[in-house]
Structures are given as C-alpha cells and as structure tokens.
Amino acid sequence: MDEANEGQIKDQFYETLKLAIISCELPPGEELSEGYLAAHYGVGKASVRHALSRLGQDGWVTSRPRSGHVVAPMTMEDVVDIFAMREIVEPESAARAAGNISEAKLRRLNKACANPYRVSDIAAKRRFLLANRDFHVAIADASGSSRLAKSVTKLHDESLRILYLTASESELSDDWSRGHGPMIEAIVAGDRLAAHRTTLDGIRRSQDRVMAVFAAAPELITGRRTLRIPARLAAARS
C-alpha cells in the first residue's frame, strides 16, 4: 500500500471513530482498547494509534498512563460551557448568513430534521442528530467567515454528545423541525437582527430541554457534578 492510500485510510478511520464518539456509540468514559478497536472496525493498529492520537489532540479522548485511552468524560460544566459558547458564536454566524443562503436549501435540510425516530433506534437517532447539525453548519458556512463556520461546526460536534442523551429520552424531530421555521424565515428575508434573535432563542430552548432531562436523570452525565439550572428554567418551574 502506498503512503497516500495509507494516509487516506488513517484519516477515514479517524472520522469514523470521531463520529462514534460524538453520537455516543462510544459513550463518555468508555475505555478504548487498541486491540478491540482494530478488530471491531477491521483496521490495522497503526490506523487506531493514529486516530487515538488525533482524537486526543482534539479533546475527544484522554490518555491514562498504563491503562490506555478513554472517551473524554462529560460533566455539567461541559454542557453549560458548550451552550454558552453557542450563544456567543452561532447567532452571529446566522446574522451574517442572512440573505446568503437559499430557502430551498434550508427547507431541504430542515426536512431531514423532521424524520421521526424511535428512541430505541440508534441509527435513526444518529441520522436525526446529524441532520440537525448539517442544518446549522450550512447556515454557518453561508456566513462568509471560515473562522465562524469552523467554530460552529466544532461546537455542534460537541453538542451532539449532549443532544444524543436528550434524544434518547424522548422523540424530538417534530419539535426541532418546527423550531427552525422562524430562523429560516429570518435568514431568507435577509433580516440579520431577526436571524440573530431566532437563533439565540432556539439555542436557549434546546438548553432548557437538555437541562430538564439532566435534572431528572443526572446519572446520564459521566462524572456528574452539582447541577446548575439556567435562570430561565428555574423561573419557569417556580
């Protein structure tokens, strides 16, 4: 095998393993054995080591001396921080994308987010969550800023692990696809202020739903710590 093909195989396996992590096929805290990964995915150990090294650099796995690698744990601090970053970055990318992406494309991407799934159907949940990520990443790509687009993509990859746990508690496709409607209208109309506002509103609704799930079932979070409920959710409960 020439070096180019070998490098391509290593890169493909890195993407495969990353997807398995962000969609919780390999859940937070899971121990990763080089031998198991090589046998399970049918690749050589060189590809496994390459992928684990890159995933470690990107923060998806952690290395433990004399005990191999584990999927990076997820704490409530991580959840809060990811949503806080999304509130900063994503509304700005949506505002910049206003008027720069077609309604047909947004409707097509949103339609994929409306496909229902059974909570027990792992593959269907993965397709649903990836479709939701693709919807938001497409908007970021239309912002005209590669830095914003890369930031939104990374945040949505991180969000997938959080949202997968929420999607495992209830069927969300109809709720999420309808929630995208105001964003689509604002972006297609070229209304930057409305695009910013509706995107921020959507992020906050998503956070409130996620935090409600984790408040009811804190054991879903690996390395759980004290749960901090957003003020919006606390007010709604009182």
Side-chain angles (χ1 to χ4, degrees):
M1 182 185 301
D2 60 43
E3 290 185 6
N5 286 336
E6 184 178 1
Q8 185 177 24
I9 290 173
K10 288 180 178 180
D11 289 342
Q12 288 173 346
F13 182 62
Y14 162 80
E15 294 295 339
T16 296
L17 205 55
K18 185 175 81 168
L19 179 59
I21 291 171
I22 66 178
S23 63
C24 288
E25 179 183 326
L26 295 172
E30 180 87 351
E31 293 186 4
L32 301 175
S33 159
E34 289 186 9
Y36 168 79
L37 293 174
H40 182 73
Y41 290 99
V43 298
K45 286 192 175 181
S47 293
V48 173
R49 284 191 285 270
H50 172 81
L52 290 174
S53 176
R54 285 187 60 187
L55 290 166
Q57 293 171 8
D58 295 342
W60 294 111
V61 304
T62 59
S63 177
R64 292 180 176 175
R66 297 182 296 279
S67 62
H69 296 79
V70 298
V71 177
M74 184 166 56
T75 68
M76 289 312 308
E77 282 76 5
D78 296 323
V79 174
V80 171
D81 191 46
I82 288 168
F83 274 107
M85 288 300 298
R86 284 186 61 189
E87 287 191 13
I88 294 169
V89 174
E90 205 168 333
E92 177 63 21
S93 73
R96 294 191 186 194
N100 294 324
I101 186 170
S102 72
E103 181 175 7
K105 181 173 183 177
L106 288 175
R107 297 288 182 193
R108 174 175 55 80
L109 290 167
N110 190 47
K111 185 177 180 181
C113 300
N115 291 329
Y117 63 87
R118 295 192 307 275
V119 169
S120 60
D121 189 332
I122 294 173
K125 281 188 294 188
R126 176 188 281 196
R127 287 193 297 271
F128 165 69
L129 290 169
L130 290 175
N132 182 69
R133 181 193 66 179
D134 290 346
F135 173 83
H136 291 283
V137 168
I139 293 172
D141 286 340
S143 70
S145 168
S146 62
R147 289 185 178 87
L148 272 177
K150 288 177 181 177
S151 295
V152 170
T153 300
K154 180 64 163 61
L155 286 167
H156 269 275
D157 282 348
E158 293 178 318
S159 291
L160 272 179
R161 294 209 298 168
I162 301 168
L163 298 175
Y164 184 92
L165 298 175
T166 309
S168 297
E169 293 295 305
S170 60
E171 206 279 329
L172 304 171
S173 55
D174 183 59
D175 183 34
W176 282 14
S177 63
R178 283 188 288 105
H180 290 162
M183 291 174 58
I184 293 173
E185 293 175 5
I187 291 170
V188 170
D191 188 334
R192 295 182 61 143
L193 289 177
H196 189 286
R197 183 185 68 253
T198 55
T199 300
L200 181 60
D201 288 346
I203 294 168
R204 288 176 172 173
R205 283 196 306 272
S206 180
Q207 182 184 24
D208 287 349
R209 186 155 195 169
V210 163
M211 297 299 278
V213 169
F214 291 156
E219 69 276 6
L220 290 173
I221 292 291
T222 299
R224 64 189 178 194
R225 301 180 188 176
T226 302
L227 185 65
R228 293 199 296 267
I229 304 295
R232 300 182 306 280
L233 188 57
R237 289 183 166 191
S238 60

